[in-house]
């Protein structure tokens, strides 16, 4: 949460959702505090009342969406033995890919203060890639114990490769790029082959 905090969680999400709509509709260059508050139907100064500025707001939006995916990933280990392994992994991978519009990611990377705020929060323990990776590893450990993935599968390395590649796709994909669902499906098939019969 920002140093100033946001007293009403619904307002925080309302502003974040408004920012995502502005970027999706008008592009990252159109994201201003005034555009966000107008889209959210709030008073003009409300964003600056709850965030130190647009950079902190963008960083907090990114951190919020990472935390949402981390919560989804935490449910994964309990699903070992249920459903299809590839489908379970794809749900988390695609959840991360769908968590942020490429335009928002671009803003978070190109605005130095936003990038710094995000890095510092992740270093301080905000939910992010490390937690998602740990959940994927724990899930694969459970599936390996049940014989649903190869006995020799290096679960930690596979988790790192999957989350690292999805992170790369999230940070570099453009609107005209390849379908991330197809890329993710191919990646999972390559990393987690079916166990030998």
């Amino acid at each position: 949460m920002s140093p100033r905090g946001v007293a009403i969680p619904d307002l925080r999400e309302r502003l974040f959702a408004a920012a995502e709509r502005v970027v999706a509709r008008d592009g990252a260059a159109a994201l201003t505090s005034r555009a966000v508050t107008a889209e959210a139907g709030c008073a003009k100064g409300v964003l600056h009342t709850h965030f130190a500025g647009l950079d902190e707001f963008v960083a907090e939006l990114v951190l919020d969406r990472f935390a949402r995916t981390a919560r989804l990933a935490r449910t994964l280990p309990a699903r070992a033995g249920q459903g299809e392994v590839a489908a379970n992994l794809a749900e988390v991978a695609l959840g991360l890919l769908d968590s942020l519009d490429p335009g928002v990611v671009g803003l978070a990377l190109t605005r130095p203060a936003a990038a710094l705020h995000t890095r510092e929060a992740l270093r301080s323990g905000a939910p992010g890639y490390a937690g998602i990776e740990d959940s994927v590893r724990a899930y694969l450990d459970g599936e390996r114990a049940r014989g649903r993935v190869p006995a020799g599968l290096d679960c930690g390395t596979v988790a790192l490769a999957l989350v690292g590649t999805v992170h790369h796709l999230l940070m570099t994909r453009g609107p005209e790029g390849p379908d991330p669902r197809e890329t993710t499906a191919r990646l999972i098939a390559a990393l987690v082959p079916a166990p030998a019969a």
Side-chain angles (χ1 to χ4, degrees), residues 128-151:
Y129 296 110
I132 297 168
E133 184 183 328
D134 288 345
S135 295
V136 171
R137 181 199 43 75
Y139 167 71
L140 288 170
D141 283 341
E143 294 291 23
R144 186 177 57 192
R146 290 167 174 79
R148 287 175 23 111
V149 299

Side-chain angles (χ1 to χ4, degrees), residues 99-166:
S99 65
L100 287 164
D101 183 285
V104 174
V105 173
L107 279 173
L109 291 174
T110 58
R111 297 178 71 101
L116 178 63
H117 184 92
T118 304
R119 280 195 308 273
E120 288 178 346
L122 291 171
R123 252 194 315 263
S124 297
Y129 296 110
I132 297 168
E133 184 183 328
D134 288 345
S135 295
V136 171
R137 181 199 43 75
Y139 167 71
L140 288 170
D141 283 341
E143 294 291 23
R144 186 177 57 192
R146 290 167 174 79
R148 287 175 23 111
V149 299
L153 189 73
D154 182 341
C155 299
T157 299
V158 170
L160 173 62
L162 178 61
V163 175
T165 303
V166 171

Side-chain angles (χ1 to χ4, degrees), residues 16-42:
F16 288 163
E20 290 172 322
R21 289 192 302 273
V22 169
V23 171
R25 183 183 62 234
D26 303 323
L31 191 70
T32 63
S33 56
R34 184 168 289 189
V36 171
T37 54
E39 181 72 23
C42 298

Side-chain angles (χ1 to χ4, degrees), residues 2-13:
S2 69
R4 295 176 183 209
V6 175
I8 307 169
D10 288 346
L11 176 60
R12 177 183 171 93
E13 177 55 32

